[in-house]
Amino acid sequence: MKVSRIAAAGSAAGIAVLALSVPAFAHVSVQPEGTATKGGYAVVDFKVPNERDNASTTKLEVNFPADHPLASVMPQPIPGWKAEVTKAKPAKPLEAHGEQITEVVTKVTWTADGKGVEPGYFQKFPVSIGALPEDTDELVFKAIQTYSNKEVVRWIEVPQEGQEEPDNPAPVLELTAAEGDDHGAAGAKTGTDAGSTAQNTAADGSADSGDSSDTTARVLGIVGIVVGAAGVAYGVLAGRRRDTGASA
């Protein structure tokens, strides 16, 4: 009985680890390429997995935060996708580098020209953004994902600290404090310089923390399954040995 309990516990542990690993890459998310420093510029990747077996993702709408508007937003060209940037006048006067800001980006929409994100795949949508606000620790981007069968998934629920993650969480970008001064090295760049630097960073293949998290989750899931299977096999083998000994 003791051996059987150990085997069952190992199997349950493997299933639990796998279950915990799945949500890590199951929804639309946003991660910076490198760091997203307050007052500076950054390239961020909106990562869109396809969660359906019978439809492709053909459209992504990302709404930019109205409470912390961004003046500079430049999508990186993606083969097979058309990007449209929507702008509007800011709700309150904004100033950057001594100049008045008359327009801010409210939304970026990507529409597939071809098959889109097919089942079993994901797509990254890189964007250069800035200047990042200095009076908040995070930015919330509400996203809408549309499938080829006309199904629409709204990733718009804002995660709350101390509460469970909602079913359809909005992508949240964590901001880091600038080093040395209020703006940091990135904050001293102009919008043009920052955009060029950010796109070069994307082309050079900067480290993707989102990929690392997904890889770790998958590895943990596989390890859990292997441990569970080993526990079951051990329990079966031990049972056979015990039966053989009793017969002898």
Side-chain angles (χ1 to χ4, degrees), residues 89-111:
K89 292 183 178 180
K92 57 183 180 180
L94 294 176
E95 188 175 298
H97 306 293
E99 297 182 0
Q100 197 74 19
I101 302 299
T102 58
E103 283 186 329
V104 295
V105 173
T106 58
K107 181 172 67 174
V108 177
T109 304
W110 289 269
T111 306

Side-chain angles (χ1 to χ4, degrees), residues 29 35 85 176 183 185:
S29 60
T35 59
V85 179
T176 59
H183 296 283

Side-chain angles (χ1 to χ4, degrees), residues 48-58 81 115-123 145 147-149:
V48 182
N50 191 329
E51 297 183 299
R52 302 294 179 264
D53 297 328
N54 58 353
S56 298
T57 295
T58 56
W81 292 83
K115 296 181 179 179
V117 186
E118 297 182 84
Y121 291 87
F122 72 89
Q123 176 68 54
Q145 182 179 11
Y147 287 90
S148 56
N149 61 1

Side-chain angles (χ1 to χ4, degrees), residues 63-206:
N63 294 279
F64 282 65
D67 53 346
H68 295 96
L70 300 173
S72 176
V73 176
M74 292 183 289
Q76 179 175 311
I78 303 174
W81 292 83
K82 177 184 177 182
E84 180 182 357
V85 179
T86 303
K87 298 181 179 181
K89 292 183 178 180
K92 57 183 180 180
L94 294 176
E95 188 175 298
H97 306 293
E99 297 182 0
Q100 197 74 19
I101 302 299
T102 58
E103 283 186 329
V104 295
V105 173
T106 58
K107 181 172 67 174
V108 177
T109 304
W110 289 269
T111 306
D113 290 334
K115 296 181 179 179
V117 186
E118 297 182 84
Y121 291 87
F122 72 89
Q123 176 68 54
K124 290 182 184 178
F125 297 86
V127 184
S128 170
I129 61 175
L132 298 173
E134 301 179 57
D135 57 350
T136 184
D137 294 326
E138 63 182 27
L139 292 177
V140 178
F141 299 86
K142 296 183 178 182
I144 301 175
Q145 182 179 11
T146 303
Y147 287 90
S148 56
N149 61 1
K150 307 304 180 183
E151 179 186 1
V152 175
V153 181
R154 302 178 183 277
W155 304 99
I156 61 175
E157 299 177 63
V158 181
Q160 301 295 327
E161 186 176 355
Q163 298 182 12
E164 292 185 2
E165 184 178 71
D167 292 335
N168 295 91
V172 178
L173 177 66
E174 301 292 339
L175 303 182
T176 59
E179 297 181 2
D181 55 31
D182 291 339
H183 296 283
K189 296 179 181 292
T190 64
T192 302
D193 291 342
S196 300
T197 302
Q199 291 199 6
N200 289 338
T201 301
D204 291 340
S206 298

